[in-house]
Each structure stands twice: as C-alpha cells, then as structure tokens.
Amino acid sequence: MKKFNTSPISGAQELLPALQQEFDRLKSEINRIYTEHGFLHIETPVIERTEVLLAKAGGDTEKQIYKLVKTNETAKDADQALRFDHTVPLARYAVEHANDLTFPFKVTQIARNFRGERAQRGRFREFYQCDVDVIGWNTLSVAYDAEVIAVLTEALGTLPLPGVFRVRVNNRKILGGLLAELDLAEYTTGILDIIDHAEKVPLDKTRDALLELANETKTQKIMDFIEICGPREDAIKQLRGMGIANADFLAGVDELDEVLRLVATMIPQEIAVVADMKIVRGLDYYTGTVFETMLNDYPEIGSICSGGRYDNLAGNYTDQKMPGVGGSIGLTRLFFVLKEYGAVKETNAQPIDFCLIPMSMDDSLMSFTNKLAETWRKSSKSVDVVLSDKKLSDKMKYAGKIAKFVAVIGENEVTSGKIRLKDLASGDEQEIAVEL
Amino acid sequence: MKKFNTSPISGAQELLPALQQEFDRLKSEINRIYTEHGFLHIETPVIERTEVLLAKAGGDTEKQIYKLVKTNETAKDADQALRFDHTVPLARYAVEHANDLTFPFKVTQIARNFRGERAQRGRFREFYQCDVDVIGWNTLSVAYDAEVIAVLTEALGTLPLPGVFRVRVNNRKILGGLLAELDLAEYTTGILDIIDHAEKVPLDKTRDALLELANETKTQKIMDFIEICGPREDAIKQLRGMGIANADFLAGVDELDEVLRLVATMIPQEIAVVADMKIVRGLDYYTGTVFETMLNDYPEIGSICSGGRYDNLAGNYTDQKMPGVGGSIGLTRLFFVLKEYGAVKETNAQPIDFCLIPMSMDDSLMSFTNKLAETWRKSSKSVDVVLSDKKLSDKMKYAGKIAKFVAVIGENEVTSGKIRLKDLASGDEQEIAVEL
C-alpha cells in the first residue's frame, strides 16, 4: 500500500497524539517552574551564522553541526548552520540586546537543538532542551549558581522519574588548582578527559591513563581526589584537609561550599545535592561550578540534567564582562528513557472531553450542536462535533476511541433542550438539560 | 565594545522578553481554541528527508528549501532539508502512523517552518505557523472544510487585530470546470497564476494577460467570473446563473454552497465569510475549497490566514485515499504586522509578580525568603529572589524594572513574620503577615 518510505529521519522524536500530549504536559510543567522562579522566556533563531556557533566551540562541535546550503553551495562556504545548544545563541543575544535587558538577566529557553551525530538508539539529532540561565553585568554572585541548581531540581521533581535522583556538584577551579599545585597544568585537558570517563571504565584503566601524564605520587593524589564525594560538610572537610595552598583550589572549594550551603536553603532537604570530584563536564566553556544529575537506580542512563558556570562565553563577542551560569534538562532524551523504563506509559487516552454527533447537517440541528459545543468550550472543555458522513454506528465507534463522553443530537434534543450524555468508560447515561 | 556581529540572521524574529511574552500569549490562545475544538497536537521533525519534501512540491519550493550538509558534502547530495510547511510532513506522518490514528484525524501543529527566501522587511526565513488539519480515511465530508474555516476564524478572534476581517472562500473545482467548459483546461496553471495576482495589478493588465491565452469572449467570461464575490446566496445565484453545464463546475458550486452554509452554523454571524472567485491560492496541492483572510482596513497586508482542501497529497506516499483539509495562521508574520500597525505595543511590562530582596545570605534569612517565595509560587505567582551582591539601592532599582511588588527581608521580618510589600507602580506599601 505504501509506495514511499514515510518514516521520520532517524534521530528524531515523532510521537502519537496521546504520548505527544504527555510530552507537552511535562514540558509545560518545567516551563511553569522556571517562570514561577522569575526566569523570562526568550526564543533565538534555530539558524545562526556559522561563525557565531564556532566562535568558541571548535573540535567535536564543528563536526556535529548541521550546515545549511542552497543549490550549488558546498558545506565549506556554508555561512549558516543549526544551533547545537541554547547557551551559545544566548551569549550572542545577551550581547546584542544588552542595552534593553535588565541584569542579572534570568532567562529560559525551551526548544529544539540540532546535532548531526551518528544516529543510534536513544541518541537524538533534534531534541528539546529546557534551559535556565542567569547572565550578569560585570559580576554575578555564585548564589545564582545555587539558584540554577535549585530551580532545575524543582523542575525535575515535577517529572515522573523512576525513583530518587541526586545532584552532583563540583567546581572546575578545584581541579585546576590541584593540577597547578602538582605542576600538571599543561595536561589539564587530557586529565579532565580521563576524569570525565572515570565512571565508565575500571579503576585501573583510569590509573594507567593518568600514569601516562603524571608520576606515581601525583597519580595517587589525583585518584584519591576524584574519590571525594558526599554531603557538603564531609566533602569540604576532606578537600580542605588535602593541604593544597593553591589560590584557585581554595577559591573553588569556598565557592563549592557556598553553593551547596545556599542550595540547601532553597530546596526540600530530602533532595540529595552532593559534592563530587568526578564531575567535570565535557564542554570547555565552563569556568567554575559544574553539575550533573543522576537517577540513583539507573546510573547507566547518565546525567539527566546538567550545567555550570561560564564566566567568559560572551567574551567571544564583547569586551564587556558578562559572566553566566545555566543548566538544562534534555527533555527528548529523558522522555525516551522514561518510556523505556515504563515511567511514561502508552496509555489508551481519550484526549477529547466530549463528542457531539448531530443526526443531520440541517441548519437548526447544526446551530444547536455548535452552540452547545461553544458553551462547553467556554469552560475549557474540548468538544469535537462529528461531521463525517458515515453511519451512526461508525460515528459512535469513533467517539469511543477518542472521547470521554458522547451525545447524539437529533430533532428531539433540539426541541426538548435535553440531551443524553453517555460516559464512554462506564457506559452510564444521564439526561441533562442544556441552556443555550 | 562589541568585537563581533551579534545580530540574529536576517529573516528571523528575535524578541525582547516583554514582546516574547505577548507573542507566547497569542500563540497559546490560538492553541487553546484549536484544542477546545478537539484538534490533537503533534510535532513532526524540523528535518525531513529531501525526497519527502519534494515528492509533490517542485518548482519554487525546491529553490526555497534549506538543505542540510555535513563537512565535504554539497547541496546536490543533501538528503536532508528543513521542512517548509506543516502540511507535507503531516501527509507523511498520517501515512506512516495510519494504523495507530483515529480517522477523521483532527490535528494541530504550531511550530516554526523554514524557507530560504531572499530576506526582506516583513519576510521571514523561519516563522511560526499555527495549523489545523483534518485527514480522512477514504472519504472526508466537506463539513470539515467548514470546521477548519470556523476554528481558524475563532482563533483569529482572540488576536488583537486592527479592525474587522473577512474570510474569502472559493472552490478550485469551479474555475477548473469553467476552464474545461471554455476549452482552456491546458492553460489552467497560467490562468490560476493570473487570477492569483489580479488584485495586485490594474484590471487591464489582468485582461491583457488573459488575452494571451484566450479569445475576447472567453476572456470576458473569465473577467466577469472573477468579479463574483459576496455573501453566499448572492454569489451562488450568480454562479448558477452563468449557465455552465460542466460537472466539476457544478460540483464545486454545490460544495462552496454547503461549506458556506455550514460555516454560518458554526461562528457568530457578525463575522463575514464570503464567496470570492479571485481566491485561488498559489500552492498546487489544493483540489477543492480554498480560502484566504483579509483585514478589511489593511488589504496591503495580504492574507493573514489561509488554507484549503487537498484530496491527493498523501497520494505521493500511499495508494490509500486520505483526503485532507487544513489551514494556517502565519503567526510570526502577523505579529510583525501587528507591531507595525501599533496593535501590539512595546510595553514597559513588569513581567515578574514579586521581587524578594534578602538583606544577607545567612541561612535563616535565605530559608525564610525561599520558603515565602515557594508559598507564593504555589499560587502561580512568579517570584524572583534577588541574589546579587550589589548595594540595596541597586537591587531596588533592579526590582523596579522587572517586578510589580518588592519586599526587603531582614532579621526583623524573620522574627516578626511580617513583611512590608511595596507596590512598584503606585509606591504604596502595606504590611502583611506571612505564614510559612
């Protein structure tokens, strides 16, 4: 019957209406929490000039971006591309509109981003990210690092997550300071990378990788360091007990201490927000606080919400200091995972509140039916007037598939002003008088 | 100060937060009307396989689509591109998921589409379209043509339009039948194009263009025909009075008659829905009903909402008959126009309900402030806790720019449980007791 491949591109989410409704509900819950916390919604174009996207990113990012061309152009001269995250366009937006914004600028973006990754199950090429960010003017208190973590945590709390999650927080300055103290600053990128992967490989592999860059004493020091994780007081005590004098290290520990203290004043105490030295985040624009969020029972899923502090991102576009901090819930991937784990179910939802079936298309009948529909719609009910020219039994079958209640409208109903409303779940019928 | 061009790409809408909020409000009103009428929301990927997009479109469309390439590819081998409307992806979606959908499938899509047009003022390369469509299985009653017009009309009614609009409806079969009767069927495309532009050029130009394809008698017949417009009864009478025997012509007139009759049972009678033979619509996938909507006082804006019947669109992908009808509000362009005509104003909105300014970051003060904020958020208020390390006067200035009310929280407030709430518009202060 089909004469054409009609599947969506691989790496894209395409949902049936019932699941789409659930996806929309989660998205709107996240948006509600962000908005109630005073974050203002903006939208940037999906298409950006390539030079904007690549001003900072480089490396893997360049390979992953989707470039846009018109006939006879090649990828090389593509001067436009699809944004791969919300943070880079936000930095551009904040610089462009600086004179019209109020700082600190608390902002949310909830929309699709695009990466030309190799498609594989659970990896998406177009995906929703639900971001909050705060951009400062000259300075930005680390208290906003805490707020970003708190609001994301609260938003996660509205989602049907399987079990408990914990937020793992670190500060890039701590590791930077440690490596400087150990005279390993030149290997920072390599060591960041090793730590970033430490949870996915056996302990020995991490040690061996470090030994290629550092001697045994220093390697042991780093191995001990990345084991530090836990509640604020314990972790901070261990860090301070390492006897590192480096100023960055100490500043990082102080910031981490303060961020964790403030987060605790902002969220319910049953949510675990811990210090964790294994969290470094791949992206190179982070400069201070970094965090990831894990489901305790499903570590294999990886982080479901992450972000950090980026003091220099706007520096690609302006000399004005505009430090920022932000984080993101990757909703498309998270929704996929929730489906996989049965936390979001393919329910046989009846998305429509009422189906009204007029017995004919006569003026008087149609006017009555449509007026009744409008009355109910005014109380925010969804009402579908069945207009197909099928048999009544087919129309009832249709109503049974999509609606919660159904009523058939004939001349009797118009004359009497009374209709029989059938509950399609229970089969119960009741007569109600309608006033139009 | 800026060291980089940070403007968005030309042809994209980028709004400041206050205007974005208004844009979002209009979008959500449109969505509310669609949903209350029983249209189910879906999202298709922004990226489609190029062959899907070009299966039907051809011509200008191919020049306008944005193709996606990765490094070393050229536009020619681009197998992915950005969708240029919602209707083509919907046809693919309906075929792909046919077994899981309930027909007639009433569906809405509200999202951005993309066209690589030459950028000019008021023309957008990425733009929101707010679509409703109904897809049938085998058959689809023309009553749904009426419903699509009615729901779009109702959605337009929620927007701050300058003055009154009218919906102009036609049926492609009527002109098709007329041209067959006049033995001009082979010139259909050319004549459609001439009629499509008839309102933008002097009468003589239209006549001259027609004379290149038809003799004087036939040209006069077409010129008289395209002048037919007005309320249902008048227009239908004039059409029937033309003495055309062609079956398509008569079927088209009957459909138009029925659609206009049914629309009148669905919407308030003060909204003008008229027959108008000048409406033909450019896109070649329409097969029956076509319509456009004009603001009476601003004809220069052109159509703000349009659509039509497409009985064969899914036929590119399947042998199964899946006739459809749909229409769209081009919200980005309309919003631009509304701004231009002062119907949407750059208000100095105070988007946040409450600013709370804690006097310090001490645990007790922060806990009190955050608990208070959460209490208010539970009643759907937006509350911004000011966390910056600036002077109190700077924080008050910040609050004055973004919030409706402000309160400063110090030790006294924590101890007494009473706060002074200042109305930032009137300057009035009132003491209120808070219970946490």
Side-chain angles (χ1 to χ4, degrees):
Chain A
M1 182 188 96
K2 259 199 249 176
K3 52 189 191 186
F4 206 90
N5 173 8
T6 54
S7 63
I9 61 156
S10 69
Q13 169 181 267
E14 184 162 276
L15 302 171
L16 290 169
L19 269 183
Q20 181 73 49
Q21 200 170 35
E22 181 65 2
F23 182 85
D24 293 347
R25 190 183 69 77
L26 302 189
K27 183 150 66 80
S28 121
E29 281 294 281
I30 293 172
N31 179 56
R32 181 178 63 77
I33 297 292
Y34 290 176
T35 305
E36 286 173 5
H37 279 256
F39 289 83
L40 303 176
H41 180 236
I42 66 160
E43 291 187 330
T44 66
V46 164
I47 303 170
E48 286 280 356
R49 279 175 292 107
T50 311
E51 55 172 3
V52 167
L53 296 181
L54 298 182
K56 173 80 186 190
D60 273 0
T61 313
E62 181 152 18
K63 279 181 225 136
Q64 287 183 358
I65 74 169
Y66 270 121
K67 293 178 178 172
L68 288 165
V69 295
K70 310 237 233 117
T71 317
N72 293 329
E73 286 180 349
T74 69
K76 274 205 178 134
D77 38 59
D79 60 352
Q80 299 188 340
L82 302 185
R83 65 176 182 218
F84 57 87
D85 76 359
H86 289 312
T87 316
V88 171
L90 172 60
R92 180 193 59 66
Y93 179 101
V95 173
E96 173 73 10
H97 303 289
N99 292 335
D100 299 308
L101 300 174
T102 304
F103 292 92
F105 179 43
K106 290 175 60 171
V107 57
T108 167
Q109 297 172 86
I110 298 182
R112 283 185 252 203
N113 288 318
F114 303 84
R115 289 182 201 171
E117 295 192 84
R118 208 160 53 83
Q120 46 178 304
R121 196 171 159 68
R123 279 271 174 196
F124 291 92
R125 286 172 165 171
E126 59 175 278
F127 48 92
Y128 273 90
Q129 285 189 301
C130 309
D131 282 41
V132 282
D133 291 88
V134 189
I135 310 282
W137 189 257
N138 291 322
T139 62
L140 181 69
S141 159
V142 291
Y144 285 106
D145 300 24
E147 185 181 29
V148 162
I149 294 172
V151 68
L152 288 168
T153 302
E154 201 174 316
L156 284 175
T158 67
L159 306 181
L161 300 177
V164 175
F165 64 87
R166 69 184 190 288
V167 189
R168 307 161 73 192
V169 189
N170 195 359
N171 190 301
R172 280 261 182 109
K173 290 176 189 167
I174 301 176
L175 179 67
L178 174 66
L179 296 183
E181 178 101 354
L182 297 180
D183 228 1
L184 293 169
E186 60 187 309
Y187 304 116
T188 303
T189 310
I191 294 172
L192 267 176
D193 199 49
I194 295 168
I195 298 176
D196 199 26
H197 291 86
E199 284 186 304
K200 293 171 196 141
V201 298
L203 214 61
D204 282 355
K205 270 223 156 150
T206 302
R207 184 187 308 273
D208 290 347
L210 287 172
L211 279 171
E212 286 182 26
L213 303 172
N215 67 25
E216 204 143 328
T217 320
K218 292 176 180 179
T219 292
Q220 190 54 47
K221 197 112 191 174
I222 297 172
M223 292 298 288
D224 291 344
F225 169 78
I226 63 176
E227 286 303 315
I228 297 175
C229 72
R232 174 184 156 224
E233 289 81 358
D234 297 356
I236 298 297
K237 201 171 154 193
Q238 285 185 65
L239 288 168
R240 293 219 169 100
M242 286 180 69
I244 308 285
N246 177 282
D248 273 350
F249 180 91
L250 295 174
V253 173
D254 284 349
E255 283 184 19
L256 179 61
D257 191 23
E258 179 70 351
V259 167
L260 292 173
R261 181 184 73 79
L262 287 170
V263 169
T265 71
M266 297 174 179
I267 60 172
Q269 63 181 46
E270 60 269 22
I271 296 173
V273 180
V274 298
D276 193 328
M277 295 306 111
K278 276 207 192 72
I279 300 305
V280 293
R281 304 289 303 136
L283 277 169
D284 61 357
Y285 53 58
Y286 292 120
T287 53
T289 300
V290 283
F291 62 91
E292 294 190 354
T293 308
M294 315 283 284
L295 290 164
N296 284 351
D297 297 338
Y298 304 94
E300 70 276 17
I301 292 171
S303 178
I304 60 170
C305 167
S306 51
R309 176 93 177 193
Y310 46 90
D311 277 344
N312 309 323
L313 188 54
N316 297 308
Y317 315 126
T318 178
D319 292 327
Q320 169 65 41
K321 282 216 176 311
M322 295 171 75
V325 60
S328 181
I329 298 174
L331 188 58
T332 300
R333 177 149 189 283
L334 182 53
F335 193 76
F336 172 84
V337 166
L338 293 179
K339 271 190 299 175
E340 293 280 297
Y341 287 85
V344 169
K345 289 193 180 72
E346 283 254 14
T347 49
N348 197 357
Q350 309 291 96
I352 308 296
D353 294 318
F354 298 97
C355 262
L356 294 179
I357 304 179
M359 291 289 283
S360 84
M361 296 278 140
D362 288 353
D363 275 350
S364 67
L365 244 166
M366 283 298 287
S367 291
F368 179 90
T369 308
N370 287 315
K371 263 191 204 133
L372 176 58
E374 279 305 301
T375 309
W376 288 349
R377 286 169 190 148
K378 284 213 175 78
S379 19
S380 297
K381 299 299 180 191
S382 58
V383 187
D384 181 27
V385 177
V386 182
L387 300 170
S388 72
D389 37 23
K390 305 253 155 77
K391 285 181 300 183
L392 182 59
S393 60
D394 286 332
K395 294 182 191 178
M396 289 299 287
K397 226 167 102 185
Y398 164 86
K401 280 187 192 164
I402 65 156
K404 298 182 182 72
F405 295 90
V406 66
V408 177
I409 314 287
E411 289 304 335
N412 278 346
E413 281 71 17
V414 175
T415 316
S416 69
K418 288 178 185 159
I419 63 167
R420 291 195 71 76
L421 199 59
K422 181 175 180 179
D423 182 328
L424 286 159
S426 67
D428 294 349
E429 289 193 28
Q430 65 173 124
E431 190 174 80
I432 58 168
V434 295
E435 287 192 37
L436 300 181
Chain B
M1 184 189 91
K2 260 199 249 173
K3 51 188 190 186
F4 207 90
N5 173 9
T6 55
S7 63
I9 61 155
S10 69
Q13 169 180 268
E14 183 162 276
L15 302 171
L16 289 169
L19 269 183
Q20 180 74 50
Q21 201 170 33
E22 182 64 3
F23 182 85
D24 292 347
R25 189 182 70 77
L26 302 189
K27 182 150 64 83
S28 121
E29 281 294 282
I30 293 171
N31 179 57
R32 181 177 62 78
I33 297 293
Y34 290 176
T35 305
E36 286 173 6
H37 279 255
F39 289 83
L40 303 177
H41 180 236
I42 65 158
E43 291 186 330
T44 66
V46 164
I47 303 171
E48 286 281 356
R49 278 174 294 107
T50 311
E51 56 172 4
V52 168
L53 296 181
L54 298 182
K56 173 81 186 188
D60 272 1
T61 313
E62 181 154 18
K63 279 179 224 137
Q64 286 183 359
I65 73 168
Y66 270 120
K67 293 178 176 172
L68 288 164
V69 296
K70 311 237 231 121
T71 318
N72 292 330
E73 286 179 350
T74 70
K76 274 204 177 132
D77 38 60
D79 60 354
Q80 298 189 339
L82 302 186
R83 65 173 183 221
F84 57 86
D85 75 358
H86 289 313
T87 315
V88 172
L90 172 60
R92 179 193 58 68
Y93 179 101
V95 173
E96 173 72 11
H97 303 290
N99 291 337
D100 299 309
L101 300 174
T102 304
F103 292 91
F105 179 42
K106 290 175 59 172
V107 58
T108 167
Q109 298 173 84
I110 298 183
R112 282 185 252 204
N113 288 320
F114 302 84
R115 288 182 201 172
E117 295 193 85
R118 208 161 54 83
Q120 46 176 305
R121 194 170 162 69
R123 280 272 175 194
F124 291 91
R125 286 171 165 173
E126 56 174 282
F127 47 93
Y128 273 90
Q129 284 189 303
C130 308
D131 282 40
V132 281
D133 291 89
V134 188
I135 311 282
W137 189 257
N138 290 322
T139 62
L140 181 68
S141 159
V142 291
Y144 285 106
D145 300 24
E147 184 181 30
V148 161
I149 293 173
V151 67
L152 288 168
T153 302
E154 200 174 317
L156 284 175
T158 67
L159 306 181
L161 300 178
V164 175
F165 64 87
R166 71 184 189 288
V167 188
R168 308 163 71 191
V169 189
N170 195 357
N171 190 302
R172 280 260 183 110
K173 292 177 188 167
I174 302 176
L175 179 67
L178 174 66
L179 295 183
E181 178 100 355
L182 297 180
D183 227 1
L184 292 169
E186 59 188 309
Y187 304 115
T188 303
T189 311
I191 294 172
L192 268 177
D193 199 49
I194 294 168
I195 299 177
D196 199 24
H197 290 86
E199 284 185 304
K200 293 171 195 143
V201 299
L203 215 60
D204 282 354
K205 272 220 154 148
T206 302
R207 185 187 308 271
D208 291 347
L210 287 172
L211 279 171
E212 286 182 26
L213 303 172
N215 68 25
E216 205 143 327
T217 320
K218 292 177 180 178
T219 293
Q220 191 53 46
K221 198 117 190 167
I222 297 172
M223 291 298 289
D224 292 343
F225 169 77
I226 64 175
E227 285 305 314
I228 297 175
C229 70
R232 173 185 156 225
E233 288 81 358
D234 298 354
I236 298 297
K237 202 172 152 193
Q238 286 184 64
L239 289 168
R240 293 219 168 101
M242 285 179 70
I244 309 284
N246 177 282
D248 273 349
F249 180 91
L250 295 173
V253 173
D254 284 348
E255 282 184 18
L256 179 62
D257 190 24
E258 179 70 352
V259 167
L260 291 174
R261 181 184 74 78
L262 287 170
V263 168
T265 70
M266 297 174 179
I267 62 172
Q269 63 179 49
E270 61 269 23
I271 297 174
V273 180
V274 297
D276 192 328
M277 296 305 110
K278 277 208 190 72
I279 300 305
V280 293
R281 304 289 303 137
L283 279 169
D284 61 356
Y285 51 60
Y286 292 120
T287 53
T289 300
V290 283
F291 62 93
E292 295 192 353
T293 310
M294 315 282 285
L295 290 164
N296 284 351
D297 298 337
Y298 303 95
E300 70 276 17
I301 291 171
S303 178
I304 60 171
C305 168
S306 50
R309 177 93 176 192
Y310 46 91
D311 276 344
N312 308 323
L313 190 53
N316 298 308
Y317 315 126
T318 179
D319 292 327
Q320 169 65 43
K321 282 220 174 309
M322 295 171 76
V325 60
S328 180
I329 298 175
L331 189 58
T332 300
R333 176 147 188 285
L334 182 55
F335 193 76
F336 172 84
V337 166
L338 293 178
K339 270 191 300 175
E340 293 280 298
Y341 286 85
V344 168
K345 289 195 179 71
E346 283 254 14
T347 49
N348 199 357
Q350 310 289 98
I352 308 295
D353 295 317
F354 299 97
C355 261
L356 294 178
I357 305 180
M359 291 289 283
S360 84
M361 296 279 139
D362 288 353
D363 276 350
S364 67
L365 243 166
M366 283 297 288
S367 291
F368 178 90
T369 307
N370 287 315
K371 263 190 205 134
L372 176 57
E374 280 304 301
T375 309
W376 288 348
R377 285 170 192 149
K378 284 210 175 82
S379 18
S380 298
K381 300 298 180 190
S382 58
V383 188
D384 180 29
V385 177
V386 183
L387 299 170
S388 72
D389 39 22
K390 304 253 155 75
K391 284 180 301 183
L392 181 59
S393 59
D394 286 333
K395 294 181 189 179
M396 288 299 287
K397 227 167 98 182
Y398 164 85
K401 280 187 193 165
I402 65 155
K404 298 183 182 70
F405 295 91
V406 66
V408 176
I409 314 287
E411 289 305 336
N412 279 344
E413 281 71 18
V414 176
T415 316
S416 69
K418 288 177 183 158
I419 63 165
R420 291 195 71 77
L421 200 59
K422 182 176 179 176
D423 182 328
L424 285 159
S426 67
D428 293 349
E429 290 193 28
Q430 65 174 125
E431 192 174 78
I432 58 168
V434 295
E435 287 192 37
L436 301 179

